[in-house]
Amino acid sequence: MNENPPVQILSPLPMDSLDASLPHYLRIAGMLRQTLASGALRPGDRVISARKLAERERVSLPTALEALRSLEAQGLIVARPRSGYFVRQQAPVAALPPSRPSPRPMPVTMAGLARSLFSSADARLIPLGAALPDPAWLPAATLQRALQAAGRRLQAQGQSYSMPPGRAELRGQIAARAAQWGGRFGPDDLILTSGATQAVRLALRAVCQPGDVVAIERPAYFGTLLLLEDLGLKALEVATDPREGLLPEALAEALARHRPAAVLASPTVQNPLGASMSVERKRALVALLEQAGVPLIEDDVYGDLAGEGQRPPACKAFDGSGNVLYCSSVSKTLAPGWRIGWIAPGRFHAQVLKARLAGDWAGAPLLEAAVGEVLASGDYDRHLRRLKTRIQAAVQAVTARVEASFPPGTRISMPCEGFVLWVELPRQVNALEVHRRALELGIGVSPGQLFSPQADLPSHLRLNCANEPTPRLLGAVGQIGELCRELARSTAPA
């Protein structure tokens, strides 16, 4: 690839996103990123020196240097010996085209592959595989205080069961937050679940029967595919653009040809592409499915990571008939292990509540109450601002390292939001072989075979960027790139 790898310059960050609780060097790096994004400096221009930056911001020289090195790690600037830092020269990004799915429904047959890959997972791996935020980025002290406050308030009741639909105060907080982006549901319209995965499972059980067809994005989150396989449902893949999400024309054709029992999609921050549909496309999607009488199961687990200030509306904001079953959780933003999720199932409320009672029916009152405490206190919003700033910087850093180290012919998604990167390798490179060799190096990656119903994306990888872009992490990305280069060379046609 180009020796001066292409870089996506971030759009300017609002000043309130430069949280005062962040380390000085990150706040300074954020302000410098704003300057670069504004176009005040052109590629090749010299950046302010560390000494002048220290004087201007009234910080130590090491702090100023750390801010500049942070931007260098993100691929935004480059250091030249005895000359200082300069804005990196840019080249066109090798972006991914829209996906090209099979036109026919198909059974999902990848559970065996998933089991074999997950069995090799190790907590000591460098975490480029699982889509989880860095534990150091989560507000451990805030969560502990919330647990203690909830424990004092609930006393012995905290060790009992939380009966469906779940604690009223948490449902009230979730509904109030949703109202800010136009969510049309109240506390009584919500059912708390054990994470978003259970919410999606309940939605599928409410609107589908074994053998039914469900329209999904291509590529799709492997958890979605495992649910379809487990419930005996067929997948109908729909073309999806890496930036604009599910393509409405392709979906309209799929509806006309196959009339699926439901559409299951992530219109805001799709996994693994990172795509987000525009407000106009979301409104049109809801109208199209309402007219067709096909329910939309909206997986919005990454939704709170979208937007620089107020998050954009979910499809549920445009649901006037209860045709959208809205699913979300705090697993990608606050506390993955707490397994607190929810569903607003619209006109399918009775069916979902029945399925909730018939299955894993009891919730955890202490954890539900603690999440309610964090939402009510404003701590969650403060945490989100810090988290999104860190994610933006980390995505830039990993992207720059991929562009610099992966083989020629590699193409990448440029995620609108979220923290996963979808990488298309040269055709001769098999992602399962990359996964196997990466494990030997102590690095976890997710091969593309996990993200299609019949494991037919063999030359793709998903990389998790939600970790501090330390030299060790970025070095691991470089090692994966070298593995891919080696495989591309060894399997190239003679």
Side-chain angles (χ1 to χ4, degrees):
M1 300 185 73
N2 196 303
E3 289 187 0
N4 287 323
V7 173
Q8 178 196 29
I9 298 294
L10 292 173
S11 57
L13 294 171
M15 287 305 295
D16 65 357
S17 75
L18 303 177
D19 194 282
S21 66
L22 289 175
H24 283 316
Y25 83 91
L26 283 180
R27 296 186 66 220
I28 295 169
M31 288 186 284
L32 290 173
R33 240 186 0 260
Q34 287 183 334
T35 301
L36 295 177
S38 71
L41 294 175
R42 295 172 298 176
D45 284 352
R46 187 172 181 172
V47 180
I48 186 172
S49 70
R51 189 172 300 281
K52 289 183 178 179
L53 181 62
E55 293 173 357
R56 189 185 76 181
E57 300 298 330
R58 298 181 180 179
V59 296
S60 67
L61 182 60
T63 297
L65 279 169
E66 191 68 22
L68 291 169
R69 288 167 182 159
S70 172
L71 293 184
E72 184 183 22
Q74 296 168 43
L76 298 178
I77 63 177
V78 292
R80 296 178 185 168
R82 295 184 295 278
S83 298
Y85 287 92
F86 294 80
V87 180
R88 183 183 286 278
Q89 298 282 349
Q90 298 181 66
V93 172
L96 287 169
S99 58
R100 300 177 64 181
S102 166
R104 295 179 297 278
M106 63 185 74
V108 182
T109 57
M110 44 79 69
L113 171 64
R115 282 194 300 270
S116 68
L117 295 181
F118 296 156
S119 66
S120 61
D122 187 329
R124 295 167 295 182
L125 294 174
I126 297 175
L128 294 171
L132 290 173
D134 192 327
W137 290 359
L138 301 177
T142 296
L143 293 171
Q144 188 60 38
R145 285 196 302 270
L147 274 175
Q148 291 170 349
R152 288 192 298 269
R153 183 158 53 85
L154 271 60
Q155 296 184 357
Q157 292 181 352
Q159 312 309 318
S160 184
Y161 289 136
S162 175
M163 300 297 292
R167 294 193 65 82
E169 65 266 29
L170 176 55
R171 288 186 283 116
Q173 288 294 330
I174 293 167
R177 290 185 63 82
Q180 297 174 14
W181 50 256
R184 300 186 180 190
F185 53 85
D188 292 340
D189 301 312
L190 282 161
I191 300 169
L192 300 184
T193 62
S194 179
T197 298
Q198 187 186 60
V200 173
R201 176 185 286 275
L202 293 172
L204 288 168
R205 288 184 60 188
V207 302
C208 300
Q209 298 294 325
D212 281 350
V213 173
V214 177
I216 61 171
E217 297 143 323
R218 177 182 171 89
Y221 168 51
F222 60 76
T224 293
L225 298 174
L226 290 172
L227 285 177
L228 296 182
E229 184 170 1
D230 185 54
L231 295 172
L233 301 169
K234 294 179 181 178
L236 175 62
E237 295 180 299
V238 178
T240 305
D241 185 87
R243 294 195 66 81
E244 298 181 352
L246 199 65
L247 295 179
E249 301 83 2
L251 178 60
E253 182 178 351
L255 293 174
R257 285 189 175 187
H258 302 287
R259 187 166 179 81
V263 173
L264 171 50
S266 297
T268 308
V269 193
Q270 196 265 356
N271 177 9
L273 291 173
S276 286
M277 299 178 74
S278 67
V279 171
E280 294 74 18
R281 281 178 177 263
K282 289 177 181 177
R283 192 191 306 272
L285 174 63
V286 173
L288 172 66
L289 294 179
E290 184 172 346
Q291 182 178 13
V294 176
L296 171 63
I297 301 173
E298 182 176 19
D299 183 352
D300 194 48
V301 72
Y302 290 92
D304 279 353
L305 296 178
E308 293 179 346
Q310 175 62 46
R311 59 151 291 172
C315 285
K316 188 66 175 176
F318 311 112
D319 180 23
S321 65
N323 197 50
V324 178
L325 297 91
Y326 175 80
C327 306
S328 190
S329 80
V330 294
S331 294
K332 303 301 181 182
T333 56
L334 184 66
W338 285 16
R339 312 307 304 144
I340 300 296
W342 53 88
I343 179 171
R347 61 188 175 90
F348 302 97
H349 189 277
Q351 297 95 310
V352 170
L353 185 59
K354 179 181 177 181
R356 180 76 170 99
L357 288 165
D360 179 17
W361 56 273
L366 187 60
L367 298 179
E368 291 178 9
V371 171
E373 295 267 354
V374 176
L375 298 184
S377 67
D379 285 336
Y380 182 61
D381 290 309
R382 288 186 284 274
H383 162 65
L384 277 181
R385 288 193 291 269
R386 292 191 295 269
L387 181 63
K388 288 194 284 189
T389 299
R390 286 170 169 150
I391 286 172
Q392 286 178 326
V395 169
Q396 288 281 12
V398 173
T399 299
R401 188 56 59 95
V402 168
E403 291 176 326
S405 60
F406 275 53
T410 298
R411 297 193 289 188
I412 59 175
S413 67
M414 300 300 290
C416 301
E417 285 109 358
F419 51 72
V420 294
L421 195 65
W422 185 241
V423 182
E424 181 183 321
L425 304 167
R427 185 168 297 181
Q428 67 267 30
V429 180
N430 189 295
L432 281 176
E433 181 63 14
V434 176
H435 167 81
R436 185 187 67 78
R437 295 198 186 187
L439 286 179
E440 295 174 355
L441 297 172
I443 306 169
V445 297
S446 292
Q449 288 90 333
L450 285 173
F451 299 87
S452 63
Q454 295 189 317
D456 61 347
L457 288 169
S459 298
H460 294 73
L461 292 175
R462 190 194 69 181
L463 300 178
N464 173 34
C465 302
N467 290 279
E468 194 65 35
T470 61
R472 178 172 180 260
L473 182 89
L474 295 178
V477 177
Q479 286 180 283
I480 298 301
E482 182 52 41
L483 275 179
C484 294
R485 283 178 176 271
E486 180 185 335
L487 289 169
R489 288 191 299 266
S490 66
T491 57

